[in-house]
């Protein structure tokens, strides 16, 4: 009779990079659970148009803002600058159901996500390249779209 652990030997090993991306996605999704997400070295002098997000009480953006920020961050990491510029210049976010006052949180989240991914690339000494960063953002989006876990009794 096989033990309950025998199936573990039959499982295919998970590549380290997949485990890393899953863990990073989990951490980023947790960070995105707070508004605004945590920022290291917050310098009020360099915040610019994002300053009100940190100096005033602002409402948490709608889920659609997060979805669009993930799209823009993927474009930024994929160096799809024409698509990014067209989206912002022609205010395509309005066509996606966002309000005009969602522009600043959208840009902030896009920059925050992009910086998080570039920081991951730097921390891994370039082993995590831009396509993997985009895949990581896909995992973040899946986690944000997933229903919350049911409380255990």
């Amino acid at each position: 009779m096989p033990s309950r652990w025998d199936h573990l030997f039959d499982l295919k090993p998970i590549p380290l990079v997949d485990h890393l991306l899953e863990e990073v996605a989990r951490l980023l999704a947790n960070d995105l659970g707070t508004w605004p997400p945590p920022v290291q070295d917050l310098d009020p002098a360099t915040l610019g148009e994002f300053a009100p997000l940190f100096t005033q009480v602002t409402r948490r953006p709608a889920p659609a803002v997060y979805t669009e920020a993930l799209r823009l961050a993927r474009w930024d990491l994929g160096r799809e600058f024409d698509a990014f510029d067209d989206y912002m210049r022609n205010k395509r976010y309005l066509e996606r159901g966002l309000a005009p006052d969602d522009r600043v949180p959208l840009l902030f989240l896009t920059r925050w996500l992009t910086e998080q991914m570039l920081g991951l690339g730097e921390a891994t000494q370039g082993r995590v390249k831009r396509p993997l960063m985009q895949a990581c953002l896909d995992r973040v989006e899946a986690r944000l779209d997933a229903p919350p876990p049911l409380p255990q009794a």
Side-chain angles (χ1 to χ4, degrees):
M1 175 174 254
S3 79
R4 68 183 203 173
W5 306 114
D6 286 340
H7 79 284
L8 291 176
F9 290 111
D10 296 330
L11 294 176
K12 199 174 183 182
I14 299 171
L16 184 58
V17 71
D18 286 343
H19 180 68
L20 172 69
L21 294 180
E22 192 59 37
E23 186 64 16
V24 169
R26 183 185 67 77
L27 291 171
L28 291 179
N30 286 343
D31 285 349
L32 291 171
T34 62
W35 180 251
V39 175
Q40 294 178 347
D41 303 323
L42 187 62
D43 180 12
T46 60
L47 283 176
E49 68 180 323
F50 302 135
L53 300 177
F54 295 94
T55 59
Q56 303 170 7
V57 176
T58 57
R59 67 174 173 79
R60 178 181 174 80
V65 175
Y66 289 83
T67 300
E68 293 304 301
L70 285 158
R71 172 196 315 270
L72 291 173
R74 278 190 215 94
W75 285 349
D76 199 8
L77 292 169
R79 295 185 170 110
E80 297 177 41
F81 302 124
D82 291 338
F84 191 106
D85 290 344
D86 176 71
Y87 184 94
M88 294 311 296
R89 180 177 44 254
N90 295 307
K91 299 181 181 178
R92 304 263 186 239
Y93 52 91
L94 297 175
E95 298 168 9
R96 300 271 186 186
L98 275 59
D101 62 339
D102 287 329
R103 181 185 165 280
V104 172
L106 173 65
L107 288 173
F108 170 74
L109 285 171
T110 300
R111 187 172 296 168
W112 186 86
L113 288 163
T114 301
E115 289 298 321
Q116 296 299 310
M117 291 295 97
L118 293 174
L120 174 63
E122 186 177 310
T124 60
Q125 299 173 346
R127 288 186 205 98
V128 175
K129 305 222 181 297
R130 288 173 181 258
L132 286 175
M133 293 175 194
Q134 291 171 308
C136 187
L137 291 180
D138 292 340
R139 292 174 187 229
V140 171
E141 185 168 27
R143 285 182 167 277
L144 291 176
D145 290 342
L150 296 174
Q152 295 182 353

